[in-house]
Amino acid sequence: MQARQARPALDTDLLDEDGYPLLCGKVAEVQEDLQQDTLAAWLRQHPQEGLDAQRFPFNPEDVRALALGGEVLVDLAYEAMRHPLLPACLTAPASARAAMALPTLQLHLLLPTAWSAAQSQAGSAWLRQLLLQQGWPPEKLAVPALPPLPTPTPFALLNHIAARAALDGQPCLAIVLACNSYIGEMSVHDWASKGLLFSAAQADGLIPGEGAAGLLLASAAEAALLEAPAPVLLHQAATQARDAARSRKHGDPALLASLAAQALAAAAVLPADITLASADTDQRTGPMLELMNCATALLPELDLGTQVQSVGAACGHAGPVAALAALALAQHAAASAPGQVLCLSNLDPLHCGAIVVGPPAGDGNDAG
């Protein structure tokens, strides 16, 4: 991304209404057929309430989303299974595990919003069983329903998890995962019919994308036990709903800058301490101007070309995945070099957010 080499490309398998290849952010290595066969076999063995047992309930885009989400989840499970209390829990009788000191691993899922409740339940059950296959004990695994927020955006969800952990006073270990795919004829036709699809005539449209992103979260004591290579501190996010009636043609840099300033204050960090800004922003004029104007006003020392990185512009539109990917990028940057990272979210037309990530553990701060 720093070298500007990450960008959507023309896909000869995905065509517009005139038969021309579409620009999209496609993950080339997804084994769609294998994923569908595996998922179909599992659904036959584990019928899900509300779904027709004789009819496969997911379209090709859904299958791709679950394939991508599964890959990220397995990677995060590998990190979680470094917990030193896990071996004792696995060797104990199942009846004794719930009372053991190993914290319950929470799996928070941001699945495609177009899914029905039955599809979301089936997708959650599938991803849950992937964690169990990796060896995590079922007695220490929970898949909470999304909190009753107006819209469970990634940043709002992180605040909810942190607030709930503080209220409960219990060790916290959680995975937050988002997966989505718009790489398919259904999304293309839907966006085209609504005038939302990027094209030569609609330069401010959406570029189809897909992906998965996730975070392994832990309270300070649990992070120390995990012995992660470079845990970083995730500060409180500043979030706010937009005025739905406000035109976003030119964005709202004042709102994004205000939230960024609130996030910096919550972390007790000065603008000069920020060494990178990551964002979920895509290539559209309004969101990009909003991001760049915010960075110019609040972080004038940053190089807009190399120190302000936009996941959406590089990967296409994949919904909430981009915000978590921007946070993962921020985590990587904060763990790799001294300094703080500001993560911004303005891809959602109705919500904005900002959060500070860093510094690495061992700098006098607790890790999370």
Side-chain angles (χ1 to χ4, degrees):
M1 289 184 65
Q2 285 183 328
R4 301 287 180 177
Q5 297 302 308
R7 61 175 67 91
L10 292 175
D11 181 10
T12 56
D13 295 326
L14 196 61
L15 308 178
D16 64 16
E17 295 178 341
D18 297 320
Y20 292 105
L22 279 172
L23 199 65
C24 66
K26 184 176 183 179
V27 181
E29 60 268 21
V30 177
Q31 296 181 310
E32 188 176 315
D33 292 340
L34 177 60
Q35 174 68 22
Q36 178 163 330
D37 291 343
T38 304
L39 184 55
W42 182 82
L43 285 170
R44 286 193 296 269
Q45 295 175 2
H46 304 84
Q48 298 294 307
E49 184 178 355
L51 297 181
D52 185 348
Q54 304 302 318
R55 182 175 177 271
F56 187 69
F58 296 109
N59 64 41
E61 297 172 39
D62 303 334
V63 171
R64 295 181 68 86
L66 286 172
L68 292 163
E71 288 190 29
V72 173
L73 184 58
V74 168
D75 286 343
L76 294 172
Y78 175 78
E79 299 297 329
M81 292 186 69
R82 294 180 176 180
H83 201 292
L85 298 180
L86 179 61
C89 189
L90 290 175
T91 56
S95 59
R97 290 175 182 172
M100 299 186 72
L102 178 71
T104 296
L105 177 60
Q106 306 169 35
L107 177 59
H108 297 269
L109 298 173
L110 291 166
L111 300 174
T113 56
W115 285 6
S116 66
Q119 286 176 311
S120 294
Q121 178 60 36
S124 296
W126 163 258
L127 292 169
R128 177 182 181 276
Q129 66 88 27
L130 284 183
L131 271 179
L132 299 180
Q133 285 181 1
Q134 303 311 305
W136 195 267
E139 299 83 3
K140 287 293 186 176
L141 179 60
V143 186
L146 290 176
L149 302 169
T151 300
T153 59
F155 286 15
L157 178 57
L158 294 177
N159 277 353
H160 171 81
I161 295 170
R164 188 71 192 179
L167 182 64
D168 292 343
Q170 297 295 321
C172 180
L173 188 64
I175 289 175
V176 178
L177 176 75
C179 60
N180 212 338
S181 176
Y182 293 108
I183 305 298
E185 295 180 358
M186 295 187 67
S187 291
V188 168
H189 290 322
D190 180 53
W191 290 1
S193 67
K194 296 175 181 177
L196 299 176
L197 183 65
F198 176 87
S199 66
Q202 179 70 14
D204 225 25
L206 299 174
I207 295 176
E210 64 181 355
L215 302 172
L216 176 62
L217 308 174
S219 51
E222 297 305 313
L225 288 174
L226 286 171
E227 297 182 351
V232 299
L233 186 64
L234 192 65
H235 294 275
Q236 183 177 7
T239 65
Q240 184 173 325
R242 295 181 186 270
D243 182 353
R246 182 182 176 88
S247 170
R248 296 198 63 230
K249 183 176 181 180
H250 300 294
D252 187 359
L255 174 58
L256 194 60
S258 174
L259 293 175
Q262 292 175 43
L264 291 171
V269 168
L270 297 174
D273 296 328
I274 300 297
T275 58
L276 178 77
S278 64
D280 61 2
T281 314
D282 62 14
Q283 89 296 338
R284 290 173 296 163
T285 303
M288 188 57 71
L289 282 175
E290 189 173 63
L291 172 65
M292 292 304 172
N293 288 337
C294 170
T296 299
L298 195 65
L299 308 169
E301 297 181 4
L302 293 189
D303 184 326
L304 298 182
T306 60
Q307 293 177 291
V308 180
Q309 299 185 3
S310 307
V311 170
C315 304
H317 184 76
V321 173
L324 282 183
L327 273 168
L329 182 65
Q331 184 275 335
H332 175 76
S336 302
Q340 308 272 355
V341 180
L342 178 64
C343 188
L344 300 166
S345 177
N346 71 335
L347 185 65
D348 190 313
L350 299 179
H351 296 85
C352 276
I355 190 169
V356 173
V357 181
D363 291 8
N365 293 278
D366 290 336

